[in-house]
Amino acid sequence: MTLAAAPSLISKDRAISLLEEVIKQSEAEEIFVSLSTGEESLSRFSENQISQNISSTQFKLTITSYFGRKSASSSTTDLDSDAIASAIKRSEELARFAPEDPEWVPLLEPQVYEERTPAFDEVTATLSPLTRGEIIQRVCAISAKAGVDGSGTLSTETNLYAIANSRGLRACNQTTQADFSFTARIGDGSSWSNRSAWALEQLPIEELTQQLIERAIKSRQPCEVHPGTYPVVFDGAAFAALLPWIVWNLDARAADEGRSFMSRTDESGKPAGNRLGEAMFSPIVQVQRNAAHPLLQLGTFFGDGLGNDYKEVIQDGIPQTLSYSRYWAAQQGKKPTGAMYPIVMTGSDQSLADLIAQTERGILVSRAWYVRYVNPRSLVVTGMSRDGTFWIEDGQIAYPIKNLRFNQSLPEMLRDVDALGTVQRYGSSIVPGVRVGAFNFSSVTDSV
Amino acid sequence: MVQAPAPISEVKTPGYTTELSELAIDLIRKAGCEYGDVRFCTYRTQNLYARDRSLSNLSDNVNSGFGVRVLLDGAWGFAASHNKTPAEVARIVALAVDIAKASRLSQLTRVQLVPVEAHRDTYITPIQIDPFTVPIAEKAELLLNVNEQLLNYGSRGIKKAYSYLSFSREDKTFASTEGSLIHQTIYRSYPGFGCTAIANGDAQNRSYERPPLNIGYEHIDRSDILSQVDRVAEEAIEKVHAPVGPSGIRSTLILKPTNLFLTIHESVGHPTELDRVYGYESNFAGTSFATTDKLGKLQYAAPWVNFKCDRTQPGGRSTAGYDDEGVASQNWYVVKDGILVDYLTDRETAHRLGRLSSNGCAYADSWSSVPMVRIPNLGLEPGQERGSHTATLAEMIADTEDGILIDGIGSFSIDQQRRNFQFGGDAFWKVEKGKVVGMLKNVTYHSMTTDFWNSIDAIGPASEWMQCGANNCGKGEPIQIAQMTHACVPVRVRNIQIGSSS
């Protein structure tokens, strides 16, 4: 097989010098520039064969020009000088005629970031289509041999992200990521999970495939249980679809303005600050923002230039910090924090099987699907279980059950967490399997 | 507050795409592929978003590149790049061929495509005003005026306001080894606003949009937008003070098109995507209950219900001359007289179904994305004139003893085979003895797809037809975002579960 020539991705030094060239060309009073470039590949398979197989080379330069309190942005995916000059001009033209922003904040001065290098794996960055195809060929063969329909994805990505501004701020990170997800279907049985890592070799692809095939086979002929409130054991992959909703809603401004579950209300029902420091959740819930976690080793800064450093988000069930934008922090006399991700939730050394063994009766949820707000103020969400839902009886999986819709207050869910399992990486989150004492299911479906 | 109008530099569409497309096609043929196509795309998007008195986002972005898709020995390969040079075209074609060879390793069944006529054509969205020629100051002023007017209700509880304008122009050159060379330019416009009222320890939103459509700046009807602001603010205030809606009961629903379009999208659009039916999405977006053995048999809806697709519909968000496989736009029924009669196909799934042609639903959201089956404009036909189940919205209300009227979209969720769904709304009113008697809040309705559509007992007339739609439909891995219109009329549905049943 003849391998096509590799793309000519730009280096860190070239990225920073390109940003400096843009700053030099700018006629604005101030300028902020960012650059993202990389290579993304993804193989997708279903019915035990590849159905989609792609690779793309990406580049994006974004320019924000400032005139006093006025600003505007433009971006281009062209690397040539004419396109860049045009993008600079466009952002300046927009910014000159933009209205003044009453929430304007000055550009950041140079920042000090965590002293570490994000993970970059050369093998992952240069993985050939042939190698990807061979891995999937093995997964498909395992599925076919077991008599199941296997589908899923295997993706790799390398990305360089750099920022600079006219006040001297400079930063650049280069990262890799690999991700594998797999669904096994057999008759009326189904299972799914996924894993993410910064290097392909860390993904337990064939082991996970085998486990999921076994789970799919066990999930056949599901029984129906009545909707109601039950203890639930969440596989980490399922809990990873719920926990981020809590963290996304830790915005300080929304809390202070009375729009969030973190809002405090006075006796007359008016907003009265936020609930930071209240013992709102189970004391075993510990959540951190930790881009340096060994399984993540992600970038050191956010897109606006603030550092993505370690933060205790929830400690012993008590929220420790909210997310303060630079504007809202200035209004409230706080330090700006940036967003509260990547999410790392502390687990234990107990396996999912251990959590099940400690459960007298309840439900095992393997995947949470189509989770959406029902009430943003109280953070009630709805969604479905999917790809393997089981009834637990006397510490064992008794039988598969039909999928259920849930309507659940997520702060109450976090309050009712009573056991934790081991952690895994799902996307950019580190999450354990979790047991919750009470979880609300409202209806049943035959859908597999 | 806003200065003189700003002329914005014109972004030129590259004129070299035809030559590079022909180069790509020539290289694909030389590589021995049985099929190949290339798309050169340039997207210009202008977004303005105002939060309270701040124009928090003002951006004008250009995104361009090309993607090459090849079919080699019945296996797909796709590669894409932002770098539009002859050398990069050669690299990307070679990479796509290598990727197809890798796909071939696990190929059990050769992909086959239904035939398509070769077209050499140009399509441009008919517009009256190019949104990119309108001064940015005029646009910003409209948004800040809307927000100021909303925030004037601050003493009565309106504490947050937002408004937005979104415009895009998609320039696309498609060429295939079968001889097509198609240039398309598609314009899109979308305005809207909303606010949050805060009181009694609660926060409630109310919003208004002019639906996302393929249309020029003429869609930004300043007088219409400004005339809606007071109503929206008053309804937000009434909503935050309104009683919580019932839960655990069954009731009659009267759904405005602004709410119903999303139910159509989720429970009719997605389950009739033929790639989902065949399991291509089973790892992510799910499969479908509407399997091919039910074609022509399944009583999907009441006999007076018809769902028709139309990619030629003027203004429709997925209206174009051709899809991303060069298939000409067309219209067809998926549900006729309540029966499932067809699907949404691309050339590959149409062949699997045994059809001789595709109905043109292949669409990619970017030059770096692979075309796949996407919901087109899919609408609910108005009730027949003087039909036994045709009624105006006013007639439905007057004829309802006890029910809930819903406007706008809120919560939405549906299972992976598109049966068990739960929807909310943006505003709810209690209907009692034929009259609207006041607002409710926090209402949801729950049903199973075919139960719901078979429970419709009244459909609005053609005079109440509205083009509502979505601009954020996610599907695929990696996820792609598609846009489509679901034109529809109000309906009344009987005996639907309201709120949680436990």
Side-chain angles (χ1 to χ4, degrees):
Chain A
M1 176 175 292
T2 308
L3 186 64
S8 50
L9 299 177
I10 64 178
S11 66
K12 286 185 181 182
D13 288 346
R14 174 71 187 113
I16 292 293
S17 73
L18 178 61
L19 296 184
E20 287 174 341
E21 287 167 26
V22 173
I23 291 170
K24 271 187 205 159
Q25 284 185 54
S26 168
E27 294 179 1
E29 291 171 14
E30 300 270 18
I31 182 171
F32 181 93
V33 198
S34 68
L35 181 161
S36 174
T37 186
E39 184 85 2
E40 299 168 6
S41 297
L42 184 142
S43 302
R44 191 178 194 205
F45 56 102
S46 67
E47 300 170 301
N48 300 332
Q49 59 184 346
I50 285 182
S51 57
Q52 174 186 319
N53 205 354
I54 67 175
S55 187
S56 69
T57 306
Q58 305 272 353
F59 171 84
K60 184 179 180 185
L61 179 72
T62 304
I63 298 150
T64 305
S65 297
Y66 292 82
F67 293 95
R69 290 173 164 263
K70 302 185 294 183
S71 70
S73 299
S74 69
S75 69
T76 179
T77 53
D78 279 321
L79 193 47
D80 68 79
S81 54
D82 285 352
I84 292 173
S86 170
I88 295 170
K89 189 178 170 195
R90 221 164 54 248
S91 75
E92 290 172 357
E93 286 172 346
L94 285 170
R96 279 197 177 95
F97 292 98
E100 289 203 347
D101 184 359
E103 297 188 8
W104 172 85
V105 288
L107 287 176
L108 277 176
E109 300 294 334
Q111 301 286 295
V112 177
Y113 300 117
E114 285 184 344
E115 277 191 40
R116 59 183 177 81
T117 304
F120 183 87
D121 178 61
E122 195 67 34
V123 172
T124 304
T126 57
L127 191 76
S128 74
L130 177 63
T131 306
R132 223 168 49 242
E134 287 169 344
I135 294 169
I136 293 168
Q137 186 182 26
R138 288 197 292 277
V139 169
C140 291
I142 294 168
S143 300
K145 189 176 175 190
V148 308
D149 256 351
S151 53
T153 59
L154 176 63
S155 65
T156 55
E157 180 181 335
T158 175
N159 180 262
L160 180 149
Y161 185 67
I163 58 173
N165 72 19
S166 47
R167 296 200 172 193
L169 178 77
R170 302 286 183 272
C172 184
N173 286 153
Q174 196 169 13
T175 56
T176 50
Q177 180 167 322
D179 191 277
F180 174 69
S181 65
F182 180 72
T183 295
R185 291 196 301 151
I186 177 166
D188 56 4
S190 178
S191 69
W192 166 89
S193 196
N194 78 315
R195 291 286 189 279
S196 306
W198 52 264
L200 178 77
E201 66 174 15
Q202 296 167 356
L203 297 175
I205 293 173
E206 293 180 29
E207 180 190 341
L208 187 62
T209 300
Q210 291 284 9
Q211 288 173 5
L212 291 169
I213 287 171
E214 288 166 21
R215 188 190 281 177
I217 290 168
K218 286 178 184 166
S219 73
R220 288 176 298 174
Q221 298 179 305
C223 304
E224 188 167 316
V225 298
H226 290 295
T229 301
Y230 297 101
V232 169
V233 175
F234 287 103
D235 186 290
F239 201 69
L242 297 172
L243 180 64
W245 288 80
I246 295 269
V247 179
W248 296 332
N249 280 276
L250 293 176
D251 178 69
R253 186 172 187 174
D256 293 342
E257 291 180 340
R259 295 180 286 123
S260 135
F261 81 97
M262 287 298 295
S263 299
R264 189 189 295 277
T265 304
D266 67 15
E267 289 175 359
S268 67
K270 290 183 178 165
N274 60 59
R275 301 175 68 186
L276 208 56
E278 274 187 38
M280 298 175 68
F281 311 128
S282 162
I284 66 171
V285 172
Q286 319 284 345
V287 178
Q288 306 93 39
R289 177 176 83 183
N290 185 6
H293 188 283
L295 293 176
L296 294 172
Q297 300 185 52
L298 298 175
T300 53
F301 58 91
F302 288 107
D304 64 356
L306 288 172
N308 190 349
D309 51 4
Y310 181 89
K311 281 226 174 316
E312 291 287 349
V313 180
I314 301 170
Q315 196 171 40
D316 303 332
I318 302 169
Q320 300 296 303
T321 185
L322 295 172
S323 168
Y324 282 89
S325 66
R326 295 184 62 222
Y327 169 74
W328 197 246
Q331 296 296 304
Q332 302 295 308
K334 306 276 188 183
K335 283 181 71 174
T337 61
M340 292 295 119
Y341 59 82
I343 299 165
V344 175
M345 181 166 169
T346 305
S348 74
D349 57 2
Q350 296 189 103
S351 67
L352 198 68
D354 293 333
L355 300 190
I356 293 167
Q358 297 156 24
T359 304
E360 191 178 330
R361 61 191 281 276
I363 290 172
L364 170 64
V365 172
S366 303
R367 185 178 189 180
W369 164 248
Y370 220 135
V371 182
R372 291 291 184 277
Y373 286 116
V374 172
N375 186 338
R377 173 64 175 78
S378 58
L379 200 43
V380 173
V381 300
T382 189
M384 300 290 305
S385 73
R386 177 179 170 184
D387 296 321
T389 309
F390 297 90
W391 182 253
I392 301 168
E393 190 87 45
D394 297 329
Q396 292 186 325
I397 290 178
Y399 47 83
I401 59 173
K402 290 183 179 177
N403 288 308
L404 295 153
R405 172 169 296 288
F406 52 84
N407 277 276
Q408 173 66 41
S409 156
L410 292 184
E412 287 177 12
M413 174 195 73
L414 223 51
R415 182 196 65 197
D416 293 339
V417 168
D418 60 17
L420 304 172
T422 51
V423 299
Q424 295 281 0
R425 175 175 172 177
Y426 306 98
S428 296
S429 298
I430 305 290
V431 173
V434 165
R435 192 177 65 185
V436 174
F439 198 81
N440 300 306
F441 295 103
S442 55
S443 61
V444 183
T445 183
D446 282 329
S447 291
V448 178
Chain B
M1 184 180 290
V2 175
Q3 300 87 346
I8 302 299
S9 295
E10 173 60 1
V11 173
K12 293 186 172 57
T13 304
Y16 49 80
T17 55
T18 299
E19 291 76 20
L20 290 180
S21 296
E22 286 168 348
L23 170 64
I25 295 302
D26 187 44
L27 291 169
I28 293 167
R29 286 187 178 129
K30 284 178 178 161
C33 300
E34 62 255 41
Y35 173 77
D37 59 37
V38 59
R39 277 179 300 112
F40 277 85
C41 306
T42 299
Y43 309 95
R44 184 177 180 189
T45 55
Q46 191 178 87
N47 292 303
L48 295 90
Y49 183 88
R51 185 185 57 218
D52 298 342
R53 296 178 174 90
S54 168
L55 191 66
S56 58
N57 179 33
L58 171 53
S59 60
D60 193 303
N61 302 319
V62 178
N63 181 337
S64 66
F66 69 100
V68 170
R69 186 173 71 147
V70 301
L71 193 58
L72 179 72
D73 299 336
W76 285 118
F78 178 86
S81 176
H82 67 96
N83 187 10
K84 300 169 289 294
T85 63
E88 186 71 345
V89 167
R91 184 183 78 85
I92 290 298
V93 169
L95 180 58
V97 171
D98 274 354
I99 290 172
K101 289 175 181 171
S103 300
R104 195 170 55 185
L105 294 175
S106 60
Q107 201 74 23
L108 301 172
T109 312
R110 289 176 68 110
V111 171
Q112 295 186 67
L113 308 177
V114 291
V116 63
E117 187 183 340
H119 297 277
R120 300 181 84 82
D121 200 2
T122 298
Y123 171 88
I124 303 174
T125 303
I127 61 170
Q128 293 172 25
I129 306 168
D130 181 345
F132 296 97
T133 64
V134 175
I136 205 72
E138 182 180 321
K139 298 167 181 168
E141 185 178 42
L142 172 61
L143 297 187
L144 293 173
N145 276 350
V146 166
N147 287 14
E148 192 66 42
Q149 199 173 323
L150 289 166
L151 293 171
N152 283 341
Y153 287 81
S155 62
R156 295 177 57 203
I158 301 294
K159 300 300 183 190
K160 298 298 291 180
Y162 68 88
S163 52
Y164 53 88
L165 294 170
S166 173
F167 308 101
S168 69
R169 188 182 71 202
E170 177 178 352
D171 290 298
K172 182 160 52 182
T173 298
F174 169 88
S176 75
T177 52
E178 295 168 333
S180 279
L181 180 63
I182 299 166
H183 300 283
Q184 298 193 85
T185 300
I186 297 166
Y187 286 89
R188 298 186 165 104
S189 298
Y190 179 34
F193 68 87
C195 62
T196 306
I198 294 172
N200 305 330
D202 194 12
Q204 292 286 341
N205 300 320
R206 184 75 175 110
S207 63
Y208 173 75
E209 68 174 23
R210 292 175 63 77
L213 290 176
N214 288 8
I215 191 170
Y217 196 79
E218 61 273 18
H219 193 41
I220 315 305
D221 185 332
R222 182 185 176 88
S223 61
D224 173 66
I225 291 170
L226 290 172
S227 72
Q228 305 289 339
V229 174
D230 291 333
R231 176 184 62 79
V232 167
E234 292 285 1
E235 288 178 358
I237 294 164
E238 185 181 351
K239 187 179 171 189
V240 79
H241 292 285
V244 171
S247 185
I249 65 161
R250 298 184 85 85
S251 181
T252 296
L253 292 179
I254 299 171
L255 304 176
K256 289 189 172 183
T258 47
N259 178 266
L260 187 69
F261 86 85
L262 191 58
T263 311
I264 295 172
H265 177 88
E266 300 285 12
S267 69
V268 184
H270 280 307
T272 54
E273 296 164 330
L274 194 51
D275 61 335
R276 295 179 61 112
V277 173
Y278 285 137
Y280 291 26
E281 287 285 334
S282 57
N283 186 59
F284 177 59
T287 58
S288 173
F289 74 94
T291 46
T292 53
D293 56 306
K294 300 186 176 82
L295 189 60
K297 301 172 195 161
L298 177 66
Q299 189 73 50
Y300 209 108
W304 40 89
V305 173
N306 295 289
F307 291 106
K308 192 174 191 181
C309 300
D310 189 355
R311 283 177 64 97
T312 68
Q313 173 181 312
R317 195 70 170 185
S318 78
T319 296
Y322 300 87
D323 77 351
D324 285 339
E325 293 186 320
V327 177
S329 293
Q330 51 202 277
N331 60 67
W332 69 101
Y333 284 100
V334 291
V335 173
K336 180 79 176 114
D337 301 330
I339 304 292
L340 174 70
V341 295
D342 209 342
Y343 292 102
L344 323 177
T345 73
D346 59 8
R347 295 180 63 191
E348 178 180 346
T349 54
H351 185 274
R352 269 186 83 160
L353 189 63
R355 297 289 165 87
L356 299 176
S357 63
S358 165
N359 51 35
C361 291
Y363 190 75
D365 71 348
S366 162
W367 50 267
S368 59
S369 302
V370 178
M372 61 179 175
V373 176
R374 300 312 304 251
I375 305 172
N377 304 317
L378 166 60
L380 169 66
E381 281 198 336
Q384 285 183 343
E385 200 174 342
R386 291 188 291 279
S388 59
H389 292 82
T390 304
T392 64
L393 180 64
E395 288 167 345
M396 290 178 204
I397 293 168
D399 183 43
T400 299
E401 182 67 17
D402 187 8
I404 299 171
L405 169 68
I406 305 183
D407 176 41
I409 61 169
S411 183
F412 54 98
S413 175
I414 190 165
D415 76 33
Q416 73 277 13
Q417 289 190 315
R418 303 281 153 175
R419 272 188 278 225
N420 181 319
F421 66 66
Q422 180 176 304
F423 289 92
D426 193 55
F428 318 93
W429 291 268
K430 184 166 178 52
V431 177
E432 223 171 56
K433 296 179 180 163
K435 288 191 168 36
V436 173
V437 296
M439 288 189 88
L440 302 167
K441 65 182 176 187
N442 301 349
V443 175
T444 60
Y445 62 96
H446 161 78
S447 190
M448 305 295 277
T449 291
T450 50
D451 294 346
F452 177 85
W453 292 113
N454 277 285
S455 300
I456 287 185
D457 78 339
I459 301 181
S463 60
E464 295 185 346
W465 184 82
M466 270 187 76
Q467 281 186 299
C468 302
N471 66 342
N472 57 353
C473 173
K475 180 185 172 188
E477 293 173 289
I479 197 161
Q480 296 187 38
I481 303 300
Q483 314 176 45
M484 62 289 291
T485 289
H486 301 298
C488 56
V489 290
V491 298
R492 185 174 61 189
V493 205
R494 298 289 197 186
N495 197 31
I496 299 298
Q497 177 74 41
I498 305 298
S500 173
S501 62
S502 68

